[in-house]
Amino acid sequence: MGKLLIVGTVAFDAIETPFGKTDKILGGAATYIGLAASQFNVESAIVSIIGDDMPEEYLTLLKEKNIDLSGLEIVKGGKTFYWKGKYHNDLNTRDTLATELNVLADFNPVVPNGFKDADVVMLGNLHPSVQLSVINQLEQKPKLIVLDTMNFWMDNSLPELLEVIKHIDVITINDEEARQLTGEYSLVKAAAKIEKMGPKYVVIKKGEHGALLFHETKVFFAPALPLEEVFDPTGAGDTFAGGFSGYLAQTQNISFNNMKNAIIQGSNLASFCVEKFGTERMKKLSKEETNKRLHQFKELSQFDIELQ
Amino acid sequence: MGKLLIVGTVAFDAIETPFGKTDKILGGAATYIGLAASQFNVESAIVSIIGDDMPEEYLTLLKEKNIDLSGLEIVKGGKTFYWKGKYHNDLNTRDTLATELNVLADFNPVVPNGFKDADVVMLGNLHPSVQLSVINQLEQKPKLIVLDTMNFWMDNSLPELLEVIKHIDVITINDEEARQLTGEYSLVKAAAKIEKMGPKYVVIKKGEHGALLFHETKVFFAPALPLEEVFDPTGAGDTFAGGFSGYLAQTQNISFNNMKNAIIQGSNLASFCVEKFGTERMKKLSKEETNKRLHQFKELSQFDIELQ
């Protein structure tokens, strides 16, 4: 059983979509990553910080998924990171209505002793200095370090982001962010430039348009499953990252061919995540359901053309 | 050898992209469809109309590709349909700077006798009344009638468009147009609604994001090949339609599985089309080049995940 170390936010989200709205519910990158990774046979731990305002049931949920929370700092009297957002009608764009960093503003991550030898490290979207601090605490080089980030850090902490990018193996980033980071419109060219910055593998997420994996001259494309309804896109990217890193931690095989499988696993889990509000769908997701949908992914993208 | 009947414009295009501009060059839906279909072992004919201002070399090009031009009406003293457009920097959007219908305004298509028993009929983007007239001239029901159309006809000739849609087997349409035609944002729902209008197969083109094929509960996705440079998107959709219909006319197998292959063939040829201005790339495209890229498509989308 592989060890997966996860760093990222554990947060409150308040979400409004065309289909409804929620009060503060459980959210955060590490939460979604952890729930997705729990679909695989892995030992995982979350490094994060919250206030003591987080309901016990949320922590119980994570523990029941066998996620180690010894690296989750709980600040007495502190308030948990809070995000409020409203999606537009097409669900592809959203407005952030509130961001309260709260305890996240002074987060010094501490990697639990039992996970300093993790096989796979998944650095969820967070300040790049926090991501780098986690890398620096590792006792041995992991098989794979995966980093997720976003345009906010490119705008506000570019030097720190470029520094942490030097030390990772895989970056996951969306198409607009890949263009912003490199100044290249062509994703082929953007990926090649990013590979020169450090990561040997570049995953470009295109939301409803799927995801691309680049490595040297190789490229793989995973479609998103066409869905009748997308209810709430929150956490889809993190769920993708959790499926990707969880599958690689389970299989402990970081070949390009197995990374293709990991991308499909991530896409598969993300397709469930968006079906309900927040973490609702991921909380109870059976192996039977995910296996059935993997078959659909195969049907969706496999063809038998005869090549000469 | 299957017979493919093509109706569509043969036109002059003047194109400006961020990479350069052209004077009036050979263009038009039927031209691109014919050039793409000529990659396959088919007998094809174009039904269209031009003025006598079309340079002989352009007609020679089509004839050299073994395209039957007996259904191409040449109006003495008439002027050929002309389109002028300018692409924006991202190449995904464009402004139409001029549209001169000219001889196209009074086009009464005449299907050549030798093609009234065509195996596959490809109705390129054109006035739906012209598309319907071609169907009405057929002596026997073809194996497959494919229709390409665009938002212009939805805005201006919706009743005629809905009428022709009743009589076809496959529609090719882009994502925005599928949404406009049905009022459904979800492409899954849009495709289901379109199937109720007539066509049993719905192909939704998403440009750089690939193409989807829907049929009852089945769905297939073909990625677009990630390219370093897109030089000129003009004709990509028509080239896709030409590859799709040409391959089906060659193989004469209209099963869902073979349509998957046809979608890949169409995507493959479209990926060449956009590499140079206008028809430049399609004019001399070898079997060796297209086969090589089919291998890339296979690498791009095939995976070996073990399913339970």
Side-chain angles (χ1 to χ4, degrees), chain B residues 66-78:
Chain B
N66 290 316
I67 301 168
D68 182 312
L69 297 185
S70 58
L72 178 67
E73 186 185 344
I74 303 177
V75 180
K76 286 264 182 299

Side-chain angles (χ1 to χ4, degrees), chain A residues 143-158:
Chain A
K143 288 198 175 65
L144 205 69
I145 303 178
V146 184
L147 175 136
D148 188 44
T149 190
M150 68 183 296
N151 50 3
F152 181 84
W153 309 113
M154 296 173 196
D155 294 335
N156 297 293
S157 307
L158 187 59

Side-chain angles (χ1 to χ4, degrees), chain B residues 24-39:
Chain B
K24 286 184 176 184
I25 57 171
L26 175 64
T31 302
Y32 284 102
I33 293 168
L35 289 176
S38 74
Q39 289 287 324

Side-chain angles (χ1 to χ4, degrees), chain B residues 114-175:
Chain B
F115 282 85
K116 290 184 175 171
D117 61 349
D119 298 289
V120 175
V121 176
M122 179 66 232
L123 304 169
N125 175 38
L126 204 67
H127 197 297
S129 301
V130 172
Q131 295 174 319
L132 190 61
S133 163
V134 166
I135 294 177
N136 288 336
Q137 292 174 53
L138 302 173
E139 272 166 7
Q140 60 184 60
K141 200 173 153 43
K143 288 198 177 63
L144 206 70
I145 303 179
V146 185
L147 175 136
D148 187 43
T149 190
M150 69 183 295
N151 51 1
F152 181 83
W153 308 112
M154 296 172 198
D155 295 335
N156 297 292
S157 307
L158 187 59
E160 295 94 325
L161 179 61
L162 292 176
E163 181 59 30
V164 67
I165 282 180
K166 282 186 200 163
H167 297 86
I168 59 164
D169 303 298
V170 185
I171 189 170
T172 72
I173 195 172
N174 78 26
D175 42 2

Side-chain angles (χ1 to χ4, degrees), chain B:
Chain B
M1 200 192 305
K3 275 189 193 174
L4 174 66
L5 176 63
I6 301 162
V7 61
T9 52
V10 174
F12 287 126
D13 287 345
I15 304 161
E16 186 172 344
T17 81
F19 309 109
K21 58 194 288 185
T22 65
D23 285 329
K24 286 184 176 184
I25 57 171
L26 175 64
T31 302
Y32 284 102
I33 293 168
L35 289 176
S38 74
Q39 289 287 324
F40 302 98
N41 195 14
V42 291
E43 246 183 283
S44 64
I46 285 178
V47 171
S48 193
I49 189 167
I50 54 174
D52 57 7
D53 54 349
M54 177 69 68
E56 194 55 37
E57 59 167 301
Y58 289 161
L59 301 181
T60 304
L61 165 66
L62 296 175
K63 283 179 204 155
E64 280 173 358
K65 299 288 179 185
N66 290 316
I67 301 168
D68 182 312
L69 297 185
S70 58
L72 178 67
E73 186 185 344
I74 303 177
V75 180
K76 286 264 182 299
K79 287 180 75 182
T80 299
F81 172 60
Y82 169 59
W83 175 80
K84 184 176 183 180
K86 182 178 173 174
Y87 288 87
H88 299 166
N89 275 337
D90 67 1
L91 292 175
N92 284 323
T93 49
R94 66 185 188 189
D95 295 326
T96 289
L97 303 178
T99 310
E100 295 174 11
L101 281 183
N102 298 329
V103 295
L104 199 63
D106 305 298
F107 178 32
N108 288 307
V110 179
V111 177
N113 281 327
F115 282 85
K116 290 184 175 171
D117 61 349
D119 298 289
V120 175
V121 176
M122 179 66 232
L123 304 169
N125 175 38
L126 204 67
H127 197 297
S129 301
V130 172
Q131 295 174 319
L132 190 61
S133 163
V134 166
I135 294 177
N136 288 336
Q137 292 174 53
L138 302 173
E139 272 166 7
Q140 60 184 60
K141 200 173 153 43
K143 288 198 177 63
L144 206 70
I145 303 179
V146 185
L147 175 136
D148 187 43
T149 190
M150 69 183 295
N151 51 1
F152 181 83
W153 308 112
M154 296 172 198
D155 295 335
N156 297 292
S157 307
L158 187 59
E160 295 94 325
L161 179 61
L162 292 176
E163 181 59 30
V164 67
I165 282 180
K166 282 186 200 163
H167 297 86
I168 59 164
D169 303 298
V170 185
I171 189 170
T172 72
I173 195 172
N174 78 26
D175 42 2
E176 284 318 307
E177 291 157 354
R179 286 168 176 146
Q180 179 176 345
L181 187 59
T182 61
E184 293 287 352
Y185 185 79
S186 153
L187 298 179
V188 178
K189 288 186 178 178
K193 270 203 181 173
I194 295 172
E195 284 185 38
K196 287 195 183 131
M197 298 176 183
K200 296 180 289 292
Y201 300 87
V202 177
V203 176
I204 298 183
K205 300 175 288 183
K206 305 202 295 172
E208 61 167 328
H209 300 303
L212 286 157
L213 167 67
F214 291 94
H215 172 58
E216 296 169 357
T217 60
K218 294 184 189 140
V219 53
F220 175 67
F221 178 84
L225 199 72
L227 295 169
E228 284 218 13
E229 294 281 19
V230 172
F231 198 78
D232 171 18
T234 307
D238 301 313
T239 299
F240 174 86
F244 178 78
S245 55
Y247 180 77
L248 290 174
Q250 175 186 285
T251 54
Q252 308 222 19
N253 170 353
I254 58 164
S255 68
F256 186 77
N257 272 344
N258 199 48
M259 271 198 206
K260 289 183 174 186
N261 295 340
I263 298 263
I264 295 289
Q265 295 279 4
S267 303
N268 189 32
L269 293 178
S271 79
F272 287 101
C273 178
V274 302
E275 288 184 339
K276 292 195 175 175
F277 261 128
T279 59
E280 209 53 42
R281 191 68 179 90
M282 299 307 292
K283 266 158 55 176
K284 28 196 170 199
L285 180 59
S286 72
K287 206 74 195 164
E288 198 186 340
E289 288 174 304
T290 57
N291 275 333
K292 189 174 166 201
R293 199 166 282 184
L294 280 178
H295 281 275
Q296 289 180 269
F297 268 91
K298 202 137 192 170
E299 285 293 312
L300 179 65
S301 55
Q302 308 300 285
F303 59 90
D304 292 321
I305 213 164
E306 269 182 51
L307 300 180
Q308 286 155 355

Side-chain angles (χ1 to χ4, degrees), chain A residues 178-238:
Chain A
R179 286 169 177 145
Q180 179 177 345
L181 187 59
T182 61
E184 292 287 351
Y185 184 80
S186 154
L187 297 178
V188 178
K189 288 186 178 176
K193 269 200 181 175
I194 295 171
E195 284 185 37
K196 287 196 181 130
M197 299 176 183
K200 295 179 289 293
Y201 300 87
V202 177
V203 176
I204 298 183
K205 300 175 286 183
K206 304 202 295 172
E208 60 166 329
H209 300 304
L212 286 157
L213 167 67
F214 292 93
H215 172 58
E216 295 170 355
T217 60
K218 292 183 190 142
V219 55
F220 174 67
F221 178 84
L225 200 70
L227 296 169
E228 283 216 16
E229 294 282 18
V230 171
F231 198 78
D232 172 17
T234 307
D238 300 314

